[in-house]
């Protein structure tokens, strides 16, 4: 018996099949990328095709990986002005820091002394340091699976060293003359012992294989996080004697009895991430700095072990300032390249960070509707807290926020913009203030506390206020200042944005009235310029042009009294030009005049908006127009039904207060 629907496939069946096919394809491609053979075969088949790639250092390998994910935008900056898709979807508003990171790898890959320096990323919490390192690690994993990123190592080597280390020193000059590349480094103790015991010193028989970088597999990526200094052991970095193997090999100095589990061995040929590096013991730092400068580590019972890896470290400002106060650390600091990774000062980029964090959250949070200004308003507040700790006037603060967001600001020229962004930028700007994590926590609390599946900007501003007032870490003076920033955000940003939305939505509903206003303006201007009277459409009497009406429209777009004549002549010229071409002069024919008419109409129709919150029942015509405004806010401006009604009510309140 066949029941209805037995033949029907589930809605997700096609997607399931496609995903299985993708997994199968990935596995087959991954298998196809494997290669293994003796060193003689490697020299005959692999090396001649790509000698430069085979001999790459870790810095060169990382730089090639970065370049493979980047495009040159042609602007010609010192670092090549590369825009990298490696960072594009996860890091926002820290372009300057990213450019300095690219400069570091470019210089290190060229063979300069920069490659002998540890790279330290310094910045406030939740500023993107860890994300930057994670993206580099993921990029290396993916790149190692590509043809361009093919990486070869001695099979079974605990540090996955280059097969070229097998070539004796006496033959390296001839190798350089033949292939045009130098060989740096020595075979590790483990491979030397294995070569003698299993291959009688015949390195041409030594097995070689293609290896793939994998953090989970501890291949090419090592990570070290500090813990209790009293129990921290260098063995976490460089390994120790494996007592279980001492009995087997009979000697603690046998490299096969050594545990090669240290983080520096896992990172060989790739990258070592040092989390909160300044919290480790000083002897750890000296070992790491010697490793990055000399590319060697020294452990008991063994000669120097050559390791080629890039050390990426990150720490916060508090630890760094404490580190600076100790004079004995000067030599250590001299061996570091320190790059600050501050918070962004562009509220649009900050909002992108919130959007990314929300999109990766659980569905209960991800599916909540946010009105179109929620994230931008929260971001403006965050930027205000980062700009400075002085007592600047509100007008100046607002101007700075808008300049950092690359907005056009009246009376601000390019020199002013450069001064705000560079010359007058306070040393601590972007290094302190509200973190993205603080804002996201407040958003989460607002979502949890809401009975609706919708949040308005005012809901979020109130949630931020509550978060500030209930955070015991924030001193009272700073609490008051941050609450003032919330008020400033609402007053100088959100009020403007929401009024513009309602203004535009309302304008379309009164489009015919706007056209009538445009025609009235043209009639009045022509009569004014021709110095003639005009017939009043209501009284049918001759009268002088209505100068008060003309100025009321023009002042909406800041046309001065001295500039009104040239503006009016320009409008008439465009209208006459349209007439001669047989084209109707409409609202889109003059952008400035269109804006002026919209704003004038908006002011004239405040009474309609007030009806939204009126206790009296509006007539059918007004109700229809208001419904059209709400629908347009939903369809075209990113609101839902709840937030559209909230926006209309809010703007009505604002207009009543003006």
């Amino acid at each position: 018996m066949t029941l209805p629907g037995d033949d029907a496939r589930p809605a997700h069946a096609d997607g399931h099949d496609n995903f299985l096919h993708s997994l199968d394809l990935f596995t087959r491609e991954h298998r196809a990328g494997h290669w293994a053979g003796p060193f003689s075969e490697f020299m005959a088949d692999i090396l001649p095709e790509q000698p430069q790639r085979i001999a790459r250092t870790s810095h060169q390998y990382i730089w090639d990986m970065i370049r493979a994910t980047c495009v040159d935008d042609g602007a010609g900056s010192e670092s090549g002005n590369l825009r990298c898709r490696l960072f594009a979807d996860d890091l926002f508003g820290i372009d300057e820091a990213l450019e300095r990171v690219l400069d570091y790898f470019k210089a290190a890959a060229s063979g300069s002394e920069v490659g002998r320096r540890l790279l330290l990323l310094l910045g406030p919490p939740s500023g993107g340091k860890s994300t930057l390192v994670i993206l580099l690690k993921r990029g290396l994993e993916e790149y190692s699976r590509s043809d361009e990123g093919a990486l070869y190592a001695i099979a079974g080597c605990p540090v996955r060293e280059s097969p070229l280390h097998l070539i004796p020193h006496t033959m390296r000059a001839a190798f350089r003359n033949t292939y045009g590349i130098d060989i740096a480094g020595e075979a590790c103790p483990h491979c030397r012992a294995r070569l003698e015991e299993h291959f009688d010193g015949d390195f041409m028989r030594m097995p070689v294989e293609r290896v793939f970088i994998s953090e989970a597999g501890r291949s090419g990526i090592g990570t070290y996080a500090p813990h209790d200094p009293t129990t921290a052991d260098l063995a976490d970095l460089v390994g120790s004697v494996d007592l279980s193997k001492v009995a087997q090999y009979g000697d603690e100095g046998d490299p096969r009895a050594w545990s090669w589990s240290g983080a520096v061995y896992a990172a060989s040929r790739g990258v070592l991430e040092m989390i909160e590096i300044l919290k480790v013991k000083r002897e750890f730092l000296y070992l790491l700095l010697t490793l990055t400068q000399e590319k060697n580590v020294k452990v008991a019972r063994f000669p120097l072990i050559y390791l080629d890896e890039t050390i990426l470290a990150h720490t916060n400002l508090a630890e760094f300032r404490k580190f600076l106060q100790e004079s004995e650390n000067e030599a250590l600091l001299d061996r570091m390249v320190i790059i600050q990774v501050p918070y962004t000062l562009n509220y649009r980029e900050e909002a992108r960070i919130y959007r990314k964090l929300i999109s990766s959250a659980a569905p209960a949070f991800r599916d909540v509707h946010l009105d179109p200004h929620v994230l931008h308003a929260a971001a403006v507040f965050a930027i205000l807290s980062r700009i400075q700790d002085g007592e600047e006037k509100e007008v100046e603060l607002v101007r700075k926020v808008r300049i950092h967001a690359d907005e056009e600001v009246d009376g601000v020229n390019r020199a002013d913009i450069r001064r705000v962004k560079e010359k007058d930028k306070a040393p601590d700007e972007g290094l302190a203030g509200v973190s993205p994590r603080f804002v996201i926590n407040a958003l989460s609390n607002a979502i949890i506390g809401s009975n609706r599946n919708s949040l308005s900007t005012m809901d979020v501003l109130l949630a931020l206020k509550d978060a500030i007032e209930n955070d015991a870490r924030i001193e009272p003076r700073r609490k008051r200042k941050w609450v003032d920033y919330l008020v400033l955000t609402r007053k100088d940003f959100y009020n403007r944005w929401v009024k513009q939305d309602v203004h535009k939505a309302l304008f379309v509903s009164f489009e015919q009235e706007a056209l009538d206003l445009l025609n009235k303006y043209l009639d009045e201007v022509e009569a004014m310029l021709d110095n003639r009277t005009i017939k009043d459409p209501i009284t049918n009497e001759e009268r002088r042009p209505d100068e008060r009406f003309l100025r009321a429209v023009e002042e909406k777009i800041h046309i001065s009294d001295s500039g009104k004549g040239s503006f009016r002549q320009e409008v008439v010229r465009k209208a006459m030009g349209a007439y001669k071409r047989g084209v109707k002069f409409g609202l889109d024919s003059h952008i400035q005049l269109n804006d002026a008419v919209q704003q004038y109409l908006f002011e004239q129709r405040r009474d309609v908006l007030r009806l939204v919150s009126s206790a009296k029942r509006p007539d059918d015509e007004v109700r229809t127009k208001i419904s059209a405004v709400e629908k347009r806010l939903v369809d075209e401006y990113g609101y839902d039904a709840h937030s559209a009604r909230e926006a209309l009510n809010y703007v009505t309140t604002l207009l009543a207060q003006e």
Side-chain angles (χ1 to χ4, degrees), residues 504-566:
K504 292 175 182 177
L506 182 69
F507 171 73
V508 177
S509 299
F510 294 92
E511 189 167 4
Q512 185 56 51
E513 291 185 44
L515 287 171
D516 293 342
L517 269 175
L518 175 66
N519 291 328
K520 175 177 170 58
Y521 180 86
L522 290 174
D523 290 341
E524 299 284 351
V525 163
E526 288 176 359
M528 180 68 71
L529 294 177
D530 293 342
N531 195 25
R532 59 178 172 81
T533 59
I534 190 171
K535 182 177 289 187
D536 191 290
I538 298 176
T539 64
N540 213 27
E541 295 178 355
E542 295 290 330
R543 61 169 176 80
R544 295 290 301 164
D546 190 347
E547 175 67 15
R548 290 180 61 185
F549 165 73
L550 293 175
R551 292 301 296 141
V553 173
E554 292 159 356
E555 286 172 355
K556 298 301 178 188
I557 51 173
H558 310 294
I559 300 297
S560 65
D561 194 58
S562 60
K564 65 183 180 182
S566 58

Side-chain angles (χ1 to χ4, degrees), residues 137-138 141 145 160 212-223 266 271:
K137 293 190 293 186
R138 296 295 87 80
E141 289 179 330
R145 291 177 171 82
R160 295 160 305 285
F212 301 92
I213 292 179
S214 168
E215 183 173 21
R218 304 190 83 242
S219 174
I221 296 176
T223 304
V271 62

